[in-house]
């Protein structure tokens, strides 16, 4: 059974940085970070495929990166944080996307429990 554990969330002032980590007990070809703010739908933030090609939501391009930290670790480096980035952040993974786009929640069967990010202005 695949397990995903997120870490690195916390509180930071606007303009600051945070680095989230997602550790899995096995390699996953496709991994992504999603976030969900109160009262809003879960949205894709960044994704990476088995060839380490990354994709980003327009709202985070130029500020966030999604490097792998090894075969079983995925990071989300968040710079230039703004209050709109406040959300619960979730790691997602699967061997294939099943025809879905990387930012579709239906593309992933495996999810972590989430880590909270709070950005104060």
């Amino acid at each position: 059974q695949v397990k995903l554990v997120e870490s690195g969330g916390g509180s930071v002032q606007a303009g600051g940085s945070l680095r989230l980590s997602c550790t899995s007990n096995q390699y996953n070809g496709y991994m992504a970070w999603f976030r969900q703010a109160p009262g809003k739908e879960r949205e894709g933030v960044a994704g990476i495929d088995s060839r380490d090609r990354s994709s980003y939501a327009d709202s985070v391009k130029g500020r966030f990166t999604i490097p792998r930290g090894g075969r079983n670790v995925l990071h989300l480096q968040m710079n230039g944080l703004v209050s709109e980035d406040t959300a619960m952040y979730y790691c997602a993974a699967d061997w294939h996307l099943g025809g879905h786009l990387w930012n579709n929640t239906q593309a992933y069967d495996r999810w972590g429990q989430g880590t909270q990010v709070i950005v104060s202005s």
Side-chain angles (χ1 to χ4, degrees):
Q1 182 178 359
V2 176
K3 294 182 179 180
L4 304 175
V5 179
E6 302 98 335
S7 62
S11 297
V12 64
Q13 289 190 335
S17 298
L18 280 175
R19 185 177 178 92
L20 306 184
S21 297
C22 173
T23 302
S24 174
N25 58 340
Q26 69 179 53
Y27 174 75
N28 300 277
Y30 293 85
M31 297 187 74
W33 287 97
F34 284 75
R35 67 186 180 186
Q36 189 166 18
K40 294 188 177 181
E41 292 186 355
R42 191 170 296 190
E43 63 173 358
V45 176
I48 192 166
D49 68 12
S50 57
R51 297 184 180 182
D52 286 351
R53 295 173 296 191
S54 55
S55 300
Y56 297 92
D58 288 342
S59 59
V60 306
K61 283 181 180 177
R63 300 189 297 124
F64 292 10
T65 58
I66 187 172
R68 288 188 189 265
R71 282 182 58 85
N72 299 352
V73 179
L74 183 70
H75 299 294
L76 182 66
Q77 178 66 43
M78 305 185 292
N79 300 324
L81 285 161
V82 298
S83 57
E84 290 78 13
D85 295 319
T86 295
M88 185 71 79
Y89 283 71
Y90 297 92
C91 178
D94 214 316
W95 278 109
H96 54 80
L97 299 183
H100 298 291
L101 293 177
W102 71 268
N103 57 353
N104 189 328
T105 57
Q106 296 184 44
Y108 306 93
D109 286 337
R110 302 146 190 167
W111 292 84
Q113 294 301 308
T115 185
Q116 181 72 49
V117 172
I118 299 174
V119 183
S120 58
S121 57

